Amino acid sequence: MRDVQGQEAGGWLPAEPSGFVGRVCEVDLARTRLASHRLVTLRGPGGVGKTRIAWQVAARTALPQGSRWVDLASVRDGSLVGQAVITALGLQDQTGRSSVAVLAEHLAEQEVLLVLDTCEHLMDECAALAGALLAALPGLRILATSRAPLGVRNECVVPIGPMSTGPDGDALVLLKARAGRAPEPTPNRVPSQDDPAELVGLCDALEGIPLAIELAAPHLRTVPARQLTRQLAERLDLLSPETPSDTDLTAERPRHAGLRTTIGWSHEWCSPHERLLWARLSVFPGSFTMPAMEFVCTIKPLFGYDLTDTLASLVSKSVVLREGPPGARRYRMLDTVREYGAEWLERLGQQEDLQLRHRDFYRHLAMSGGESWLGPQQPQLYRQAAAEHANLRAALQHCLRTDVSAALRMAADLFYFWFACGNLREGRHFLDSALALDPQHETGRARALWVCAVISSCQGDHSAALERATESLELATRTDDGPSQAWATYAQGLALTLQGDTDPALERLTAALPLAETVHEEIAGLLCMASTSYLHMALGDLDRAQALAERVIARAAPSEDIWARSFGHYVVGTVDTLRGHPDRAIRSLRTALQAKWLLNDAYGIGITLDTLALAAVDDGQAQWAAWLLGLGDQVWRKVGVPQLGSPDMVARRATCEQRTRAALPPAAYEAHHRAGFTLDTMTAEVPAELRQPYAFESLESNPLT
C-alpha cells in the first residue's frame, strides 16, 4: 500500500518492474483502447507479461487523479476482493457498508484508472465489482489482466501474446538482457559468444514467451544456446525415480504447452532438493521471509537441511524473485511458476502437510505479536504484520475451513493488527466468520467476542458491539475467564462512550479497571484509564481527565509503549486546548500524532488532527488550522465514520471549522484546506507540516483554487 510511484507517473503504482523490454505495440494498443473504452482487459496465458504491460499502460495514462494498482494474486477468498481494492487504495473505511458503496463514495467525481491485476482465479467477483463500479462512477476506467475476459458489458479485450521472435524481435533483446544480468558469467562462458542465429533459434524454441525466456536466460551463463535448444527439445529426464515426471504433468494440461514445457525443462535443471523446495514454496500465496521458509519447508526429507544455498540457487535460476534491501529481504514466485510447484506438491501428497505448517507458522506469528504488543517494538510489529498480510489471511482462511477453535484464537490474537493498525473491517470479517461457525461455544469464543465488540464500536456499530460484549461477559463469567471479563466490561464501556451514554459508560469503565488490574491485563487497564479520562473530559471534569491521562502516560512509559501513551497525550492535549493553553496542547498532540502515524492508526490520527486544528486556531495559526482540517477530512473520508460517530467529537470539529473560517478570508481557507486534503499520505513518514511550523507563505502568494 505504501510502495508508491513518483508523481510523474500519474498516481499510486508499485515500484516499476525492472528491465522492461519492447512491447511497444501492445502498450500503445492498450492505451488507445482505454481512451475509448472504460474497461479494457489484457487477456493472455500465464507468463506473457500482462502485468508488466499493464504497469507501462497505467504509468502513461494521464487522468486527473492518476492510476491505482490492485494486486489480486495473493487473494484466495472471493469475498475479500472488494476489501483488497479498499486496502490498495489506502482507504481505512471500517464501516459495515458494502465494498462497492465505500469505493463509489471515495472515487465519486474522480477521473481515475483502476488496475485489477491477476483476475483469473476470481473471475465472478472481479466481474461483479468492475460492473458495479463502472455503473456508479462515470469518471472511472478499469484496466484488468486475466487469462480470460471478465465478461462485463462493453468490455474491450486486448489479446497479449508472446514476444516477436526473429533477429529483430523483442524476444532476442530480452534474452540478451537477462543472460547478461548478475551473477556474472563463469570465466569459461560468455553469452555474447553465442552465434546470433543460435540465440534466435532458442527464442523460437521458447515460443517468445517472456517468462520462459526469463527461466532459460540464466543457463546461458554456463551452457551454449545450441545445447539449450537441443535440451529443451529433448526434455532430459533428470528427476528422481520416486517423483512423477514433468512429461505427465504437461500431458495432462496441454494448454500453454510451450510455457509449461519450458517450466518443466527449467525444473529438470534443478537438483532434487531445489525441485522439492520449489514445490513447497508454492504454499505461500505472496512473498515470504527466510525464517518462514525454514519453518514451513523443512520437513522430511529436508528436515534439518540448510536451505540457504538451495533458495539462492532458485533465485539465480529466476524461479524465485528476491525483493527488498538485505535487512528486510523477502522472496516470492510468479503465479505461473507457483502454480507449477503447487501441482507437484499435490502429486507428492504433501499439500495438506505444508498448508498446516504454513498455518502454524503464521498462527504463532499472530500470537507472538499480540503477546509482545505492549512495548517499544510496536512499529516493527505493525510493519511485520502488514508485510505478512497475505500469509496471515491465508492462514486464517485455512483455520476457518479446518479448525474453528484455531480460527477464533488467531483472529483474536491479531487484535493489535485489527484495532491499533487500521484493519478493523477485515478483522470484523474474520471474527464474524469464526463466531458464526462456532455453535458449540469453543474455547476462545469469549475472547473473540470482546475483540469483535471493540472493533464494532470503532466501526460505529454500537448496538452490535454491546451485544457481542454482553455475550462475552456472560460466557466469561460462567467459565471463570478473568481476562475476558475485564475486556468485555471495557468493551461495553467503550460502546456506551462512543454513542454518548455517559453515565452507564462511566459505570462500566470504572468496573473494568480493577478487573483488568486483578488479572494483570496491562493493555486493558491502560485502555480503561484512557477511555475513562476521555469520558471525564466529555463530562467537563477536566482535572480528573488530565490526572488519568497523565497516569496512562506514566504507566506506559517503563515498557516504552507508544500506542497507549498516545491516547494519554491526546487527552492531555485536548484538555489543554479546552483550558485555553494551545501552545502546550500542540506539543502533546504532535507527540500523539507521531505514534499514531507510525502505527497507521487512522482513527487515532483523525481525532487528534481535529483537536490539533482547534489548538492551532486558538494559537493564532489559522492557516495551519485550515490545513489540518483538510488533512483530517481526508483521513475521515478514508475511514468512513467521521469522528467515530461521537456527538462530542462532531461538535468539537464543527466549532473548530467555524473559528477557522472566521479567522481567514474564504479563498485563503479553501486554499489551505485543499492543500491538507490533497496531501499524499501514502508514505509512511509523518508529514513535515506536523513536525515543524506550517509553511504557508507559498500559498499566500499563490493561493490554490
Side-chain angles (χ1 to χ4, degrees):
M1 185 174 92
R2 289 179 165 169
D3 186 10
V4 186
Q5 71 177 91
Q7 287 301 311
E8 68 277 7
W12 302 334
L13 298 178
E16 180 177 9
S18 61
F20 185 77
V21 172
R23 315 310 291 263
V24 174
C25 293
E26 291 92 333
V27 172
D28 287 346
L29 177 60
R31 292 182 62 197
T32 300
R33 295 292 185 263
L34 266 177
S36 56
H37 296 78
R38 296 179 58 212
L39 171 60
V40 173
T41 299
L42 304 182
R43 176 188 59 79
V48 295
K50 299 185 294 296
T51 295
R52 286 175 176 260
I53 293 171
W55 196 97
Q56 297 297 323
V57 173
R60 290 165 172 74
T61 298
L63 291 176
Q65 279 73 44
S67 302
R68 308 289 186 267
W69 187 277
V70 184
D71 181 3
L72 296 171
S74 64
V75 179
R76 291 292 177 257
D77 183 349
S79 65
L80 291 175
V81 169
Q83 178 60 38
V85 178
I86 288 173
T87 301
L89 267 59
L91 305 181
Q92 293 196 353
D93 185 290
Q94 313 297 353
T95 65
R97 297 181 298 166
S98 71
S99 299
V100 171
V102 172
L103 293 167
E105 178 183 86
H106 178 72
L107 296 173
E109 300 181 5
Q110 293 191 40
E111 293 184 56
V112 64
L113 174 65
L114 182 65
V115 183
L116 301 178
D117 185 40
T118 314
C119 297
E120 55 267 5
H121 61 300
L122 302 163
M123 293 292 290
D124 292 343
E125 294 83 1
C126 288
L129 181 66
L133 291 178
L134 289 169
L137 299 165
L140 177 67
R141 295 179 187 274
I142 295 178
L143 177 64
T145 71
S146 179
R147 296 180 187 178
L150 296 185
V152 177
R153 184 180 179 185
N154 296 325
E155 175 185 22
C156 176
V157 178
V158 176
I160 302 297
M163 285 180 154
S164 58
T165 56
D168 300 319
D170 288 342
L172 181 60
V173 178
L174 178 63
L175 181 66
K176 289 180 177 179
R178 298 299 185 260
R181 188 166 65 179
E184 293 297 325
T186 61
N188 299 323
R189 176 80 199 122
V190 181
S192 60
Q193 294 174 344
D194 286 301
D195 185 300
E198 293 174 353
L199 292 175
V200 170
L202 179 57
C203 289
D204 285 334
L206 296 169
E207 298 181 351
I209 300 175
L211 177 56
I213 294 170
E214 297 268 2
L215 292 171
H219 299 296
L220 283 174
R221 300 168 190 146
T222 55
V223 180
R226 180 175 60 255
Q227 183 178 340
L228 288 179
T229 304
R230 184 175 66 252
Q231 290 175 340
L232 178 60
E234 295 173 353
R235 298 293 317 281
L236 295 176
D237 186 6
L238 302 179
L239 302 177
S240 56
E242 67 273 13
T243 56
S245 72
D246 285 321
T247 304
D248 291 340
L249 286 173
T250 304
E252 285 187 2
R253 286 179 170 81
R255 64 184 180 87
H256 314 156
L259 176 59
R260 292 187 60 78
T261 298
T262 306
I263 295 177
W265 168 70
S266 185
H267 192 264
E268 291 172 356
W269 277 85
C270 295
S271 70
H273 278 162
E274 291 168 356
R275 295 177 211 143
L276 188 54
L277 182 58
W278 179 346
R280 291 180 174 181
L281 290 176
S282 69
V283 78
F284 292 98
S287 63
F288 56 90
T289 61
M290 182 75 76
M293 176 201 70
E294 289 172 342
F295 179 88
V296 174
C297 298
T298 52
I299 57 175
K300 187 178 180 180
L302 297 180
F303 181 75
Y305 189 80
D306 185 355
L307 296 175
T308 304
D309 292 340
T310 308
L311 180 63
S313 182
L314 290 177
V315 170
S316 72
K317 292 179 170 70
S318 297
V319 173
V320 174
L321 305 181
R322 185 169 53 202
E323 302 174 330
R329 187 77 76 198
R330 298 187 68 84
Y331 302 85
R332 68 180 177 90
M333 291 193 293
L334 295 176
D335 289 343
T336 308
V337 176
R338 184 189 298 111
E339 289 169 5
Y340 191 86
E343 291 174 1
W344 267 76
L345 193 63
E346 185 176 4
R347 283 295 195 91
L348 294 169
Q350 298 181 4
Q351 192 171 48
E352 183 59 29
D353 289 342
L354 267 293
Q355 286 178 342
L356 285 172
R357 297 279 291 185
H358 179 276
R359 183 202 71 177
D360 290 345
F361 181 85
Y362 289 102
R363 277 184 61 192
H364 182 268
L365 187 74
M367 180 180 66
S368 61
E371 290 177 345
S372 57
W373 177 247
L374 189 66
Q377 66 286 343
Q378 288 168 345
Q380 293 91 330
L381 289 172
Y382 158 65
R383 290 193 294 270
Q384 179 188 59
E388 300 291 3
H389 199 158
N391 287 305
L392 291 169
R393 183 186 290 141
L396 276 165
Q397 289 165 344
H398 188 274
C399 289
L400 288 172
R401 292 193 303 270
T402 61
D403 189 338
V404 175
S405 293
L408 289 168
R409 290 193 296 271
M410 184 175 179
D413 285 338
L414 285 166
F415 169 70
Y416 71 98
F417 188 51
W418 309 138
F419 178 51
C421 304
N423 293 284
L424 299 178
R425 189 183 185 97
E426 190 165 342
R428 177 81 179 270
H429 166 82
F430 281 114
L431 286 159
D432 280 345
S433 298
L435 289 166
L437 293 172
D438 178 37
Q440 301 302 320
H441 296 272
E442 295 281 354
T443 302
R445 181 177 179 85
R447 183 163 175 253
L449 281 165
W450 68 250
V451 174
C452 192
V454 172
I455 288 174
S456 300
S457 283
C458 293
Q459 290 182 302
D461 192 354
H462 305 309
S463 60
L466 285 170
E467 181 181 338
R468 293 294 202 193
T470 301
E471 183 184 350
S472 176
L473 183 57
E474 291 172 351
L475 181 58
T477 302
R478 286 202 308 270
T479 58
D480 198 25
D481 180 353
S484 289
Q485 289 181 58
W487 274 106
T489 306
Y490 163 74
Q492 289 177 323
L494 177 64
L496 291 165
T497 297
L498 291 177
Q499 72 180 20
D501 292 339
T502 54
D503 290 340
L506 185 58
E507 185 274 326
R508 290 286 78 198
L509 292 173
T510 302
L513 181 56
L515 289 173
E517 292 177 335
T518 299
V519 294
H520 307 292
E521 283 289 315
E522 186 67 11
I523 297 177
L526 288 169
L527 290 179
C528 282
M529 288 189 291
S531 297
T532 306
S533 68
Y534 176 84
L535 190 54
H536 281 304
M537 182 177 62
L539 291 169
D541 190 346
L542 300 186
D543 289 339
R544 186 170 295 183
Q546 182 162 354
L548 270 174
E550 289 175 348
R551 184 180 169 192
V552 171
I553 296 170
R555 185 160 164 175
S559 65
E560 299 183 57
D561 164 275
I562 65 171
W563 180 58
R565 274 190 292 170
S566 71
F567 288 102
H569 286 297
Y570 163 74
V571 172
V572 169
T574 305
V575 168
D576 279 333
T577 301
L578 296 174
R579 282 177 164 164
H581 302 297
D583 53 337
R584 295 201 313 235
I586 288 171
R587 289 194 295 271
S588 293
L589 294 168
R590 274 179 162 159
T591 300
L593 269 174
Q594 179 81 16
K596 294 178 184 301
W597 207 280
L598 287 173
L599 299 175
N600 202 30
D601 178 4
Y603 282 105
I605 292 169
I607 62 175
T608 309
L609 283 171
D610 285 352
T611 307
L612 182 57
L614 185 58
V617 73
D618 288 347
D619 197 45
Q621 302 184 61
Q623 298 92 345
W624 188 35
W627 183 89
L628 289 165
L629 287 171
L631 180 58
D633 285 346
Q634 179 195 152
V635 172
W636 288 120
R637 183 181 181 187
K638 292 179 178 180
V639 166
V641 188
Q643 289 74 47
L644 303 178
S646 166
D648 179 62
M649 293 181 188
V650 170
R652 190 178 302 127
R653 167 64 173 74
T655 298
C656 180
E657 182 175 346
Q658 290 171 1
R659 292 184 187 176
T660 307
R661 286 185 179 275
L664 291 173
Y669 176 87
E670 296 300 335
H672 293 290
H673 183 279
R674 183 182 175 194
F677 187 78
T678 57
L679 180 75
D680 179 10
T681 57
M682 292 292 286
T683 56
E685 294 79 15
V686 179
E689 293 87 347
L690 297 176
R691 299 196 302 266
Q692 60 193 24
Y694 176 52
F696 60 85
E697 290 80 2
S698 60
L699 290 181
E700 290 290 305
S701 61
N702 183 25
L704 300 172
T705 58

